Amino acid sequence: MANIMACKQRVIIHIDLDCFYAQVEHVRLGIPFYTPLAVRQWDALIAVKHTTAKEAKVLCPDCKSHYYKFYLKDIILQHVATYKSGDSFPTYHDSPNQQSHKVSLDIYRMASRNIFTVMKSVIDRYCLDSNPSKVGSYKLEKASIDEAFFDVTNLISWWGPEDGEIESVRVDQDGFLIDWTGLGFLIGDVETVLRGGIDDVRLYLGAKIGAELRKTVFEQLGYTCSTGVAQNKTLAKLCSPLNKPNNQ
């Protein structure tokens, strides 16, 4: 059988933080994630975390913050931190206004840096556990404050059938039998144990890395994210929202 190294197919993981700005405020305030919360900048909403699909249908994305307060009586409307004259650091002022305060998004930028630092450490650890020569062989491309692409093609290309077994992957004369249980939603399939080729094994390894990224970020920092694993960036980005939130 051919070694995976001989396969040219890429493996891309798209990471998308779930309702990122609202999550940062949930973590900062120490409140349950099911608590309805909207993050606002003056009278515009930059993130809304709903509790039910019914409530989400009532609310339109272009609504002003007072409409949300009307429809969701218990929603927390959290204004972003601001500076006022004399402030050395951004503060969550009770009644900021555009004439005397300046918006700061530093808390969200810091949270983003912490999250992606943890993610990079997860992949480096994966390299050390599987093949130390591949440390740093992945590519990270941040798309925004709350999403990024990990190209793990080189990281997983070391494996071939002669390298031994992979958990949940069996090799026989007909190819590979892969058990995808626990690794998310497979587009176009209802079964979790499927026969496939080398490209499918590569995607399986990428899915395992994606699951570990999500698990570690939540355990260490308290944030949930969704991932899409595919053979190019476009497909990976299209896949990541299909099983939201907190899944892949």
Side-chain angles (χ1 to χ4, degrees):
M1 291 184 188
N3 190 291
I4 285 185
M5 181 69 80
C7 178
K8 302 297 185 181
Q9 199 68 55
R10 298 165 68 198
V11 179
I12 308 295
I13 303 172
H14 179 251
I15 304 285
D16 188 9
L17 275 296
D18 299 322
C19 204
F20 175 63
Y21 290 89
Q23 272 208 88
V24 171
E25 296 301 337
H26 276 99
V27 170
R28 183 184 68 85
L29 295 170
I31 58 178
F33 284 118
Y34 56 77
T35 305
L37 183 145
V39 180
R40 66 188 183 97
Q41 181 175 320
W42 310 128
D43 200 31
L45 298 175
I46 60 176
V48 180
K49 172 66 171 65
H50 307 290
T51 55
T52 68
K54 182 179 179 180
E55 289 166 338
K57 290 179 181 178
V58 170
L59 307 173
C60 67
D62 297 327
C63 285
K64 298 295 185 179
S65 59
H66 57 275
Y67 289 118
Y68 279 85
K69 194 67 174 179
F70 173 78
Y71 284 116
L72 283 175
K73 304 299 184 183
D74 298 324
I75 195 171
I76 296 173
L77 287 176
Q78 177 62 61
H79 197 281
V80 300
T82 57
Y83 288 97
K84 70 175 181 180
S85 179
D87 284 348
S88 300
F89 303 97
T91 303
Y92 284 88
H93 295 283
D94 291 334
S95 301
N97 66 77
Q98 291 176 278
Q99 285 69 44
S100 58
H101 293 72
K102 180 180 179 180
V103 163
S104 171
L105 301 179
D106 289 350
I107 184 173
Y108 310 109
R109 297 188 183 100
M110 179 62 70
S112 177
R113 286 195 292 270
N114 291 341
I115 290 167
F116 287 107
T117 296
V118 168
M119 288 184 178
K120 287 189 286 186
S121 71
V122 169
I123 297 185
D124 284 337
R125 186 174 69 247
Y126 181 88
C127 294
L128 291 172
D129 290 343
S130 58
N131 188 351
S133 68
K134 293 297 181 180
V135 171
S137 63
Y138 61 90
K139 299 177 183 178
L140 168 62
E141 179 185 340
K142 287 196 70 175
S144 68
I145 194 172
D146 62 349
E147 63 176 311
F149 296 94
F150 280 97
D151 185 337
V152 296
T153 306
N154 292 332
L155 171 59
I156 65 176
S157 65
W158 62 271
W159 184 86
E162 65 274 13
D163 293 307
E165 296 183 356
I166 294 178
E167 181 185 5
S168 300
V169 176
R170 296 211 315 267
V171 184
D172 58 27
Q173 61 183 4
D174 297 319
F176 305 94
L177 195 62
I178 307 169
D179 186 352
W180 295 87
T181 303
L183 292 179
F185 169 68
L186 299 177
I187 297 176
D189 288 300
V190 294
E191 302 292 334
T192 57
V193 180
L194 299 170
R195 187 167 294 282
I198 288 178
D199 287 350
D200 299 296
V201 177
R202 292 166 67 86
L203 290 175
Y204 167 83
L205 292 171
K208 284 182 66 69
I209 295 172
E212 185 63 25
L213 290 172
R214 293 176 36 251
K215 176 176 178 289
T216 305
V217 167
F218 181 74
E219 289 177 347
Q220 294 191 14
L221 301 176
Y223 298 103
T224 68
C225 58
S226 299
T227 53
V229 184
Q231 296 161 338
N232 59 62
K233 292 195 296 185
T234 300
L235 287 178
K237 185 175 175 63
L238 289 172
C239 288
S240 60
L242 294 181
N243 209 17
K244 270 183 171 285
N246 193 26
N247 218 319
Q248 69 181 15

